[in-house]
Amino acid sequence: MQEFSGADFELAWTNLDKPSKAFRLSRVEAYGQVERLHPTQKPLPLMKWCIGHLTNPAPQTILDPFMGSGTTGVAAVQMGRDFIGIEREPKYFDIACKRIEDAQRQGDLFIGNKA
């Protein structure tokens, strides 16, 4: 079994002229009992928070050039955004596609589906 660890924080760079923001959830709140599918998998609440703090008005398409297990894609779909993901490892690409397809099928009762 592969070991996973969560960092106390992650540093992201932006060129937006805005003050820094802090994501304030404990590891337990952020990850809960989620099955870890990728060594550097991010928690879904973190990715939704990141998408929600983007420029205003919010972009309609989110690009993740290092898609991993697809958490950013799931967050984008759940927030009513389009998503483009790139992943070079076939194993993780397949996992991401399944997770994003499941999120698209599930939809969101609060935002409606973009069908």
Side-chain angles (χ1 to χ4, degrees):
M1 183 170 177
Q2 192 171 12
E3 283 291 317
F4 295 103
S5 66
D8 289 328
F9 71 93
E10 292 209 26
L11 182 61
W13 178 85
T14 180
N15 64 351
L16 298 177
D17 188 21
K18 293 183 175 185
S20 298
K21 304 272 190 256
F23 177 70
R24 299 193 188 278
L25 281 182
S26 70
R27 287 185 214 176
V28 172
E29 291 171 312
Y31 285 104
Q33 297 299 316
V34 173
E35 177 186 7
R36 299 293 296 267
L37 303 170
H38 189 275
T40 60
Q41 183 172 331
K42 308 299 181 275
L44 183 59
L46 172 62
M47 299 320 298
K48 290 175 95 169
W49 181 86
C50 289
I51 291 171
H53 280 83
L54 294 172
T55 59
N56 193 6
Q60 295 305 302
T61 302
I62 305 298
L63 170 66
D64 185 352
F66 308 100
M67 183 168 61
S69 62
T71 304
T72 303
V74 172
V77 166
Q78 288 183 355
M79 296 177 76
R81 307 301 203 292
D82 292 324
F83 176 75
I84 299 169
I86 302 166
E87 175 55 50
R88 70 179 189 166
E89 297 293 330
K91 171 186 173 181
Y92 295 122
F93 180 82
D94 292 342
I95 290 169
C97 287
K98 181 179 183 325
R99 289 183 70 208
I100 294 165
E101 288 168 2
D102 289 348
Q104 288 171 326
R105 271 194 295 279
Q106 183 177 9
D108 189 314
L109 296 174
F110 299 107
I111 64 168
N113 287 324
K114 292 177 71 177

